[in-house]
Structure formats: C-alpha cells, structure tokens
Amino acid sequence: MEIIGRINRRKIYYVQIRNNPEWKHSLPKNDWVAFSIADIEDEELVPPAVKICMDKNVSYVCSAGTLANWTENYFDEEISWRIVEFEMQNKKEFDFNISPVTTAHENFEEGFWFATTLAHKNDFNINRVICLDFTKKKVKQHLIKLVNKINNGWLPNDVKYDS
C-alpha cells in the first residue's frame, strides 16, 4: 500500500489487489474508508476481499467500476450475516450505529470525490481512504490526477460512465 496524496485531513492510499497476495496485511485496523474499483473480470476477487475489509473494521465502503452495485450488495450481505451472527451469539440487538455504511457509484470520479471528501460516520475518526484496485487496467495514475483536481477545487458532474 502506498500513499498517493492527501485531501484535507484524509490520507489517500492505493493498493493493487490483483497479483498482490500481501495487500490485506497493510490495511488499517479501524476507522477507514474503502474505495473499491472492480470490473466484471474481477468478480471472483471481491468476495474474499469483502470479508478481509470487514475483519479490518472498515467504516465506510464506496464502490465504483462496472461491478459497483454488485460489490456494494456483497458488502451489505456480509454486514447482514455478521449482524445475525452477533445477535445469535450475544442474545441482544446489534447497534447499527457501528455498522459500516456502503454506497455504489456509477460515476467513478464522483465516487472517488465522495469517498475522499464526504464519507463519514459520527463517532468515527476517519482520516484514511484506501483505494482497493481489483482491475487489470490499474487506475493509480487516474486516482493521483483526481487527488490533484479535487485539491484544486474540482467538483464532479452527474454524467454516468465507468472507470
């Protein structure tokens, strides 16, 4: 994992998932935003990564790429299973205020802007955004350009397009 920039008080990190089995060891232990980028050919990589992110106490997940909605749904499903498991084991209701929040973004640039500037949870000190790149095309340079644009006041438009 490498730092690719900073937006306000948030440090932006990049980690390439494909062909990098050690990526999971560099994730923070809590209070972070995952910005996942996955396309159709990355589908088999997402389920194990979701479990790893959940084990590392991700606070907020913003999904982009052609699999954005599918990835968000997979996170939501894993969150639901963990809530059920918690309630069965502890015989009490789960506190949904500590559950991760998920979003899907059809517009890649808007999703990155949201993850780096707006995604937050009350009572959580989120100061790291980890860009999880599942893709073969590797979007690191595009993300670096977006960091610079955002730091210069750029705002995304509403046009739908893929990463």
Side-chain angles (χ1 to χ4, degrees):
M1 184 164 70
E2 69 179 289
I3 191 163
I4 60 169
R6 185 181 201 111
I7 296 174
N8 299 319
R9 63 180 189 84
R10 290 189 177 176
K11 292 180 181 176
I12 315 304
Y13 296 88
Y14 174 85
V15 64
Q16 198 277 321
I17 305 294
R18 186 176 291 280
N19 307 319
N20 181 7
E22 300 302 313
W23 71 271
K24 58 189 160 220
H25 301 298
S26 61
L27 294 178
K29 290 184 171 63
N30 55 21
D31 298 345
W32 57 287
V33 175
F35 179 67
S36 68
I37 308 110
D39 291 329
I40 299 297
E41 64 270 12
D42 311 314
E43 185 175 352
E44 77 281 354
L45 300 173
V46 172
V50 166
K51 292 178 187 305
I52 291 165
C53 290
M54 292 295 297
D55 289 345
K56 293 288 193 159
N57 300 308
V58 64
S59 299
Y60 212 109
V61 179
C62 300
S63 301
T66 56
L67 277 185
N69 290 313
W70 186 86
T71 303
E72 181 193 21
N73 289 340
Y74 207 92
F75 268 102
D76 288 342
E77 185 177 295
E78 183 66 22
I79 292 165
S80 297
W81 280 115
R82 289 177 185 227
I83 289 170
V84 169
E85 183 179 357
F86 172 88
E87 289 181 343
M88 289 177 66
Q89 287 179 354
N90 296 290
K91 307 292 186 224
K92 66 179 184 176
E93 278 191 39
F94 181 80
D95 178 3
F96 286 92
N97 291 323
I98 63 171
S99 178
V101 176
T102 65
T103 60
H105 302 270
E106 293 179 341
N107 178 316
F108 178 89
E109 293 179 348
E110 184 273 335
F112 182 73
W113 173 82
F114 181 85
T116 58
T117 62
L118 293 180
H120 79 281
K121 287 190 66 173
N122 294 339
D123 301 327
F124 287 83
N125 182 24
I126 298 174
N127 59 10
R128 293 164 292 195
V129 176
I130 314 301
C131 302
L132 304 171
D133 187 356
F134 292 86
T135 68
K136 291 177 181 175
K137 57 185 157 192
K138 317 280 188 286
V139 297
K140 178 178 150 188
Q141 292 306 315
H142 186 58
L143 293 171
I144 291 169
K145 288 177 186 173
L146 284 174
V147 167
N148 292 327
K149 286 171 64 173
I150 292 168
N151 282 329
N152 286 315
W154 171 87
L155 294 172
N157 62 37
D158 295 340
V159 177
K160 174 185 166 182
Y161 56 92
D162 297 328
S163 63

